[in-house]
Amino acid sequence: MNQYHPFILPFFIGFLAMLVILFVRYALWFRGFSKENRKRIAVGLFTTQTLLAIKEVGAEALLHLKIYRTNPVLGFMHMSLAFGWFLLILGGKLESWYFTGDFTNPVWYAIFLRYFEPDSTHLMYHGVFLFFMELALLMVLVGVALAFTKRLKKSILRIKNTTRHNFGNKMALYALWLIFPLRLLAESVTTAAHGGGGFLTASVGVLIPQSWAVESELYFWWAYSWSLGLFFLALPFSRYLHIPTEMVLIFLRRWKIEPASGFNPDKGLQAFEVHSCPGCGVCLDVCPAINKTEIAFQSAYFVNQVRRGNGYEQTSGMCLNCGQCDEVCPVGINLENLRHQTRSKIFNQASFNHSWMPGSMVFWRETTEVVLFTGCMGRLNPQTTLAVKNLLNEAGVSFIHMDEEESICCGRPMMLAGAAESAKKMMDRNRENILAYHSKVLVTTCPICYKIFKDEYNLEIPVLHHSEYLWQLIDEGKIVREKSALQLAYHDPCDLGRGSSCYEPPRKVIDSVGQLQTLSRQREKSLCCGNNLGSLSLSENERQNITANTLKVLTLDNPDVVVTACPMCKKTLQRQSQVKVTDLAELLWETHPSNSLKFSKKIEKSRFLAEVK
Amino acid sequence: MSQKNNNIKQVAIIGAGPAGLQAATVLSQNQVQVLLIDKQAKTGGHLEKWSHLFPDSRPSNEILKVLQQGIQKENIQFFKNKRVSKISKSNGQWELGTDDGLVINSDAVVIATGFNTFDAHQKEEYGYGIYPAVVTSENLESIFKGETTWPFNSSGKDLRFGIVHCVGSRDAKCGNLYCSKVCCVTAVKQAIELKKKFPGATVYCFYMDMRMFGTGYEELYQEAQTKYNIQFIRGRLSEASPSQDNRLQVKAEDTLLGRPAKLTLDMLVLMVGMIPAVSLEMKNDAVYLNQPAYGSSFITPDDVFLKMNHHQQAGLFITGACKGPASIPEVLQDAKATSIEVLNYFNNKIK
């Protein structure tokens, strides 16, 4: 039985080249793992985590369930391509095994089987194989058609933004588009020439004259082989590297590999992460800054720039770290972390002077149960601080306001800017400062501080955001309010919501004084206010575009007040808003019976101004 | 205004501040029937709130008196408490609609809506509306006039005052990139006045640059330093908060010395900038006078060199500080120039 023809060479050479290149690249990346991480791999390999990883590869790399959940049509496209192709490979192998009774056939034999064995009618159940294989081919072809349509008209796939590609990626993309239509043609021409074929190839084959088919059959197989070869050759140099890399990443994540600090896109976990990005564009549609800035800096582009090794210097600082892309990334790349590490590389040269920090600290202070920390943004929002203090007094809580004594920055802005070492200096000093009070709980009005207190400080005492504490005081009956007819729209601060999973307490506080509106983008999907303490390069104008859009969403149902729980969100939204913007503590204090008359007058005034407009 | 004589032209002037009053005076002297409209009950605009004027400390009511006398004429009609919201033109006649449904007709319209002062509440970090010792430049004038009292114990010793320049001006975050022009010299004037009232006090001015553009302003600035020993600190204020002894504590950076400054003060004066009082919107051949939104700009003339007093629509004129920050003398000169253009328009000398 003949199992070789020269037309298989383009495929085979391309395939071999891909394997060698992949092996070398992966080996280099693996060498970048720290000792601890290598140990984790060795231990993890023989645990159930490996089995779970295999399951996850099936669910994500083949079926693409996460993309499917975000966008069914886009998910179906990826699934048809990946799972369909997988079925073709699997089916081909089984079929060739069945044909020859030998499992170890040459690689190309299974792929070009229809050329070598056009007629299989002499075998039992040959129809089952044929039907299965052609169904899989049809599935892939549907995927290709969708991908093609996506390039032509993205709205059909219900996506607003699609990634733009460079030359190398385009070459790989076009080769990929050609592979399966060419396979269909080659198999159909062979069917026309020699008979046989399933529901797909036989139907197409009927349209082809037999004499012509016999003559030109080989041209189609050559073309099919070339398209495969070119695609495989281009794969390690294109974004399609994500296909094998994403699978490796799933295993690495299951084995609990930890990211190294610093910017190393060619070493270890970061290398695997960076090359796992399929550029699917899910991060584009959710980004609050999409189409609002001169330069697109969204994660899909940013990761691509990191891969290319240039351009990221400019874009990494523009992001406002709202965490929306991190939340939806179907591959689960730590995008926020990658940005911080990139910034660390950029800000490495900058030297920060910390001589202003107080030299020696007091280790014992007068103590109370509650220490209130309002931070730098609290200083820019004295109204919020005042309201919280009034509310604590109203509830009869004894507290110390740290910022009145001495307080320094929580360190998060430095962290966001990539200056991890400077941040650490502040954090250490601030930690000493906080613990010197020996209080039972730390309450902060700032979600930016809140997140770092909770995640990085190891404070040994509970840290509460003021929304959580105020809700507790309401719940305990220490603060009592009458629910009014006020229409209230709540803006989820990124660091409180997505950053710290605190969605309910602020809503409960707001709900206790008025009517909480439902918004088109809220909770995990809430938009960014347009500001960030760590982003240094996004222009004021671009920030204002983001803010304007967020305000549009917040005020769609004509709320009386826009409420937020972050001093920075408040300040950013407030200056551009026609509707009153306030912190929930201010809302709660201003709806106190002694203030409520004054408050309703204020709202009437802002209503009037909005209507005059 | 149905009893219209065909030989006598009518002009509607929106705004009865210095610009509107001056234009009304000149136009009425030239036999034009003037319909003067203001959103308030009194004429005078912001001038009415000011105590003394820079650079020569002239009492503002002297100027106001002259302007108000100018409109005590038979051919001037004053519509008070009317807010014009829409202007439209048909058959060469202008029609002005107010919020409360009044319709006023005229042959030409002059917009002299002037400015509003920036709402200092927006700079919450300066504590306006939170700490009584924080006042605006406008509030200080009313204290000077004796209408309100000092927000501190005025018999105290070693008083310290701070004056912050550029509040709401040259501030991208407030949406206002422009310079309000008159605040620097107002700050110098008010600093001197404070020093005259409280000779033992120390006065600090926190500025970005000193923009002394007018005649006599630079001299006044020199005098403030040499004769009155007023301290000028280059740097923006970052925040104000209550101090332990119930005064104000402010933080700033002295950018010339390159070091942070922390001061305790008895009063902080915010030099609030100018923002437009109306923002124009052209829709279906009508002009709407809207409440300005964040970042709204002043009214742009048809040509900043040659048609400084004209709107794009013939017969619609703009004058005074509605085009951008301006001092009283500038506004008065501009109103006279506008009046000539209106007369030329009536005499068919311009189209």
Side-chain angles (χ1 to χ4, degrees):
Chain A
M1 214 181 288
N2 188 14
Q3 291 193 351
Y4 174 78
H5 187 280
F7 78 73
I8 61 106
L9 285 176
F11 151 74
F12 190 58
I13 293 166
F15 184 65
L16 273 186
M18 177 191 76
L19 287 183
V20 172
I21 298 165
L22 277 186
F23 179 80
V24 173
R25 291 199 83 171
Y26 285 179
L28 287 173
W29 296 347
F30 264 103
R31 272 182 50 182
F33 278 126
S34 64
K35 243 184 206 151
E36 294 77 35
N37 273 339
R38 282 186 214 182
K39 209 182 254 172
R40 286 190 190 103
I41 295 176
V43 173
L45 199 55
F46 302 102
T47 60
T48 48
Q49 289 302 321
T50 307
L51 294 175
L52 288 172
I54 294 171
K55 193 181 146 201
E56 198 183 327
V57 166
E60 297 312 327
L62 296 179
L63 296 176
H64 291 88
L65 294 181
K66 270 189 204 153
I67 303 187
Y68 184 80
R69 263 174 291 210
T70 326
N71 181 336
V73 189
L74 192 67
F76 181 72
M77 181 194 105
H78 280 84
M79 189 196 75
S80 318
L81 278 169
F83 191 59
W85 198 350
F86 171 75
L87 289 181
L88 277 178
I89 295 168
L90 184 75
K93 187 74 218 167
L94 293 176
E95 203 180 6
S96 62
W97 183 16
Y98 181 61
F99 256 88
T100 56
D102 184 5
F103 186 73
T104 55
N105 293 302
V107 188
W108 61 80
Y109 179 67
I111 289 172
F112 303 107
L113 187 73
R114 210 58 78 224
Y115 172 79
F116 295 112
E117 317 290 347
D119 189 12
S120 56
T121 39
H122 58 282
L123 286 167
M124 263 174 60
Y125 307 121
H126 73 280
V128 177
F129 273 112
L130 264 180
F131 180 77
F132 173 80
M133 290 297 282
E134 299 212 342
L135 192 64
L137 181 61
L138 182 65
M139 194 171 171
V140 182
L141 285 170
V142 169
V144 173
L146 280 173
F148 190 71
T149 323
K150 178 185 152 197
R151 288 285 137 195
L152 288 182
K153 202 166 163 43
K154 24 189 197 187
S155 62
I156 293 175
L157 270 85
R158 289 197 194 87
I159 53 173
K160 294 187 205 104
N161 305 282
T162 188
T163 41
R164 300 185 289 268
H165 295 304
N166 61 15
F167 179 74
N169 278 327
K170 272 188 190 153
M171 285 309 294
L173 183 72
Y174 297 148
L176 180 64
W177 280 353
L178 283 177
I179 290 174
F180 297 98
L182 282 173
R183 178 175 175 140
L184 175 68
L185 280 176
E187 292 190 347
S188 300
V189 173
T190 294
T191 307
H194 309 286
F199 68 93
L200 202 58
T201 52
S203 320
V204 181
V206 168
L207 306 171
I208 302 166
Q210 198 198 4
S211 54
W212 186 83
V214 172
E215 258 172 56
S216 44
E217 179 188 18
L218 264 173
Y219 294 115
F220 287 98
W221 287 104
W222 271 102
Y224 173 44
S225 173
W226 267 106
S227 65
L228 275 172
L230 278 177
F231 175 71
F232 285 130
L233 191 68
L235 182 139
F237 307 103
S238 75
R239 69 191 184 110
Y240 295 101
L241 180 57
H242 83 85
I243 299 169
T245 315
E246 186 190 339
M247 298 189 207
V248 182
L249 183 68
I250 289 173
F251 283 92
L252 295 177
R253 204 181 300 121
R254 286 282 174 187
W255 294 331
K256 311 241 162 18
I257 300 299
E258 278 182 11
S261 62
F263 179 65
N264 295 306
D266 297 314
K267 266 165 73 179
L269 189 64
Q270 251 177 50
F272 283 99
E273 282 196 320
V274 163
H275 291 92
S276 287
C277 172
C280 66
V282 169
C283 55
L284 303 185
D285 278 352
V286 297
C287 178
I290 188 81
N291 300 335
K292 307 263 181 316
T293 60
E294 258 174 58
I295 301 166
F297 60 79
Q298 280 68 32
S299 291
Y301 301 122
F302 166 68
V303 173
N304 190 25
Q305 287 167 334
V306 172
R307 234 165 17 205
R308 275 206 321 260
N310 61 55
Y312 62 83
E313 298 92 339
Q314 191 185 14
T315 52
S316 79
M318 296 176 94
C319 168
L320 300 176
N321 306 96
C322 80
Q324 184 75 235
C325 52
D326 212 301
E327 181 97 10
V328 296
C329 177
V331 186
I333 301 170
N334 290 306
L335 295 162
E336 285 282 282
N337 181 54
L338 186 65
R339 272 209 178 77
H340 296 168
Q341 302 305 344
T342 315
R343 288 177 186 175
S344 80
K345 190 203 166 199
I346 296 162
F347 289 98
N348 220 358
Q349 293 86 358
S351 69
F352 295 99
N353 180 358
H354 295 291
S355 58
W356 53 269
M357 277 203 296
S360 66
M361 304 302 289
V362 184
F363 288 100
W364 182 262
R365 286 192 175 85
E366 198 185 326
T367 177
T368 58
E369 293 198 356
V370 177
V371 162
L372 176 66
F373 185 94
T374 48
C376 326
M377 289 311 296
R379 292 179 180 282
L380 299 183
N381 290 272
Q383 202 80 265
T384 310
T385 308
L386 209 62
V388 173
K389 286 158 84 171
N390 288 336
L391 289 164
L392 294 182
N393 286 329
E394 182 192 343
V397 175
S398 78
F399 65 96
I400 286 175
H401 183 208
M402 241 183 99
D403 305 67
E404 275 173 25
E405 311 292 322
E406 54 184 310
S407 76
I408 55 173
C409 170
C410 67
R412 186 100 197 290
M414 280 287 190
M415 200 86 146
L416 287 170
E421 242 171 75
S422 292
K424 192 161 182 310
K425 270 186 204 162
M426 290 184 186
M427 284 161 63
D428 288 346
R429 189 50 52 80
N430 213 4
R431 188 171 183 278
E432 274 178 32
N433 224 348
I434 293 165
L435 292 180
Y437 286 98
H438 297 271
S439 70
K440 288 194 180 147
V441 61
L442 176 69
V443 177
T444 178
T445 51
C446 178
I448 304 162
C449 309
Y450 175 67
K451 187 170 163 54
I452 199 169
F453 284 157
K454 275 186 86 165
D455 294 353
E456 314 276 346
Y457 266 61
N458 299 318
L459 276 174
E460 297 146 18
I461 53 166
V463 182
L464 294 179
H465 181 250
H466 70 302
S467 63
E468 296 173 298
Y469 194 61
L470 290 175
W471 168 241
Q472 192 182 318
L473 295 174
I474 294 170
D475 201 32
E476 287 170 352
K478 289 180 181 161
I479 294 175
V480 183
R481 291 291 181 273
E482 217 164 285
K483 196 175 161 105
S484 70
L486 275 180
Q487 287 291 320
L488 305 167
Y490 175 60
H491 169 75
D492 280 287
C494 303
D495 273 338
L496 192 65
R498 278 185 296 273
S500 310
S501 304
C502 177
Y503 296 106
E504 281 311 315
R507 287 186 160 75
K508 283 176 175 163
V509 172
I510 296 166
D511 191 53
S512 67
V513 297
Q515 312 295 325
L516 183 64
Q517 294 186 339
T518 309
L519 308 174
S520 60
R521 296 275 299 250
Q522 59 178 16
R523 293 178 188 263
E524 292 86 355
K525 289 186 179 144
S526 73
L527 291 163
C528 166
C529 70
N531 214 339
N532 174 284
L533 295 173
S535 166
L536 307 171
S537 51
L538 197 65
S539 75
E540 199 57 51
N541 233 341
E542 291 170 314
R543 286 166 198 257
Q544 287 170 7
N545 289 343
I546 297 171
T547 310
N549 183 54
T550 304
L551 277 169
K552 215 187 277 170
V553 171
L554 284 167
T555 55
L556 203 65
D557 289 334
N558 293 316
D560 296 303
V561 185
V562 170
V563 191
T564 187
C566 169
M568 192 177 65
C569 294
K570 176 193 147 193
K571 210 155 176 48
T572 310
L573 295 173
Q574 195 172 50
R575 56 189 185 219
Q576 269 172 261
S577 176
Q578 298 276 334
V579 182
K580 185 181 165 72
V581 179
T582 192
D583 186 274
L584 56 82
E586 290 171 54
L587 176 77
L588 194 58
W589 176 242
E590 290 193 309
T591 48
H592 183 276
S594 68
N595 302 324
S596 54
L597 192 69
K598 213 169 76 195
F599 183 59
S600 56
K601 271 190 189 149
K602 266 193 220 169
I603 288 174
E604 263 169 40
K605 193 184 164 206
S606 81
R607 283 250 121 184
F608 170 72
L609 291 178
E611 274 161 24
V612 169
K613 159 91 178 111
Chain B
M1 307 306 98
S2 45
Q3 69 274 49
K4 201 189 130 210
N5 183 330
N6 268 349
N7 300 322
I8 295 178
K9 295 286 185 185
Q10 286 188 326
V11 65
I13 299 176
I14 308 170
L21 289 173
Q22 181 68 83
T25 306
V26 176
L27 287 166
S28 69
Q29 285 164 350
N30 286 277
Q31 286 72 51
V32 175
Q33 169 89 33
V34 176
L35 312 165
L36 187 60
I37 310 155
D38 201 280
K39 62 184 177 189
Q40 277 166 328
K42 285 190 286 184
T43 58
H46 290 276
L47 187 57
E48 215 265 323
K49 298 176 190 163
W50 242 248
S51 171
H52 288 76
L53 303 175
F54 58 76
D56 59 355
S57 291
R58 186 87 166 270
S60 55
N61 55 20
E62 273 183 24
I63 313 295
L64 188 60
K65 210 182 278 171
V66 173
L67 289 171
Q68 281 170 338
Q69 276 164 3
I71 62 158
Q72 303 302 320
K73 292 209 179 77
E74 273 184 8
N75 60 351
I76 296 184
Q77 195 178 354
F78 179 51
F79 295 84
K80 62 181 179 183
N81 297 324
K82 298 288 172 210
R83 194 186 284 265
V84 176
S85 55
K86 184 186 172 186
I87 312 171
S88 53
K89 193 183 189 182
S90 61
N91 302 327
Q93 269 276 307
W94 288 93
E95 191 179 289
L96 287 77
T98 66
D99 279 349
D100 53 3
L102 180 71
V103 175
I104 299 168
N105 290 302
S106 69
D107 300 300
V109 178
V110 177
I111 298 179
T113 46
F115 67 95
N116 282 339
T117 47
F118 174 78
D119 177 13
H121 289 97
Q122 278 192 43
K123 296 293 275 183
E124 198 181 315
E125 58 269 39
Y126 294 163
Y128 183 67
I130 303 173
Y131 317 120
V134 182
V135 298
T136 64
S137 43
E138 200 173 346
N139 298 149
L140 185 61
E141 290 293 331
S142 107
I143 299 173
F144 283 148
K145 284 180 87 173
E147 291 166 357
T148 29
T149 52
W150 295 103
F152 54 87
N153 177 11
S154 54
S155 58
K157 276 184 181 169
D158 299 326
L159 293 170
R160 287 146 75 97
F161 308 127
I163 294 179
V164 190
H165 293 226
C166 302
V167 177
S169 310
R170 304 176 70 194
D171 187 342
K173 288 184 176 169
C174 294
N176 304 332
L177 281 173
Y178 55 84
C179 163
S180 288
K181 206 161 122 178
V182 296
C183 336
C184 274
V185 61
T186 302
V188 171
K189 180 200 79 120
Q190 292 188 339
I192 293 175
E193 285 168 333
L194 282 172
K195 195 74 183 178
K196 282 181 181 166
K197 286 255 189 308
F198 304 99
T202 316
V203 184
Y204 301 93
C205 282
F206 299 92
Y207 70 98
M208 296 209 282
D209 352 62
M210 296 300 289
R211 298 194 166 179
M212 293 297 160
F213 67 100
T215 310
Y217 297 1
E218 183 66 25
E219 290 82 344
L220 194 69
Y221 175 38
Q222 295 294 337
E223 198 181 310
Q225 294 170 78
T226 53
K227 188 171 165 195
Y228 293 99
N229 198 21
I230 286 153
Q231 305 295 308
F232 288 90
I233 299 175
R234 197 188 80 177
R236 266 195 143 146
L237 204 72
S238 66
E239 61 171 290
S241 55
S243 70
Q244 305 282 17
D245 55 353
N246 242 343
R247 291 156 83 201
L248 278 174
Q249 193 183 65
V250 297
K251 284 188 192 163
E253 188 184 348
D254 187 326
T255 56
L256 290 179
L257 294 177
R259 71 178 184 217
K262 206 190 232 180
L263 296 166
T264 306
L265 301 174
D266 295 279
M267 178 174 69
L268 186 66
V269 186
L270 309 179
M271 289 293 133
V272 282
M274 292 184 178
I275 56 169
V278 298
S279 104
L280 295 194
E281 185 192 10
M282 313 271 285
K283 211 162 59 187
N284 310 329
D285 289 334
V287 178
Y288 290 84
L289 282 74
N290 293 335
Q291 189 77 25
Y294 175 81
S296 287
S297 53
F298 286 93
I299 302 171
T300 318
D302 196 16
D303 183 323
V304 288
F305 287 97
L306 303 172
K307 289 186 162 184
M308 196 54 194
N309 305 100
H310 298 254
H311 189 261
Q312 291 139 276
Q313 297 210 26
L316 182 58
F317 297 87
I318 46 177
T319 195
C322 67
K323 292 181 285 184
S327 66
I328 299 278
E330 284 173 333
V331 158
L332 297 181
Q333 295 310 306
D334 194 47
K336 288 174 190 166
T338 308
S339 305
I340 292 291
E341 294 290 298
V342 174
L343 292 170
N344 284 341
Y345 173 73
F346 285 153
N347 297 327
N348 293 319
K349 285 182 185 154
I350 50 167
K351 294 212 165 150

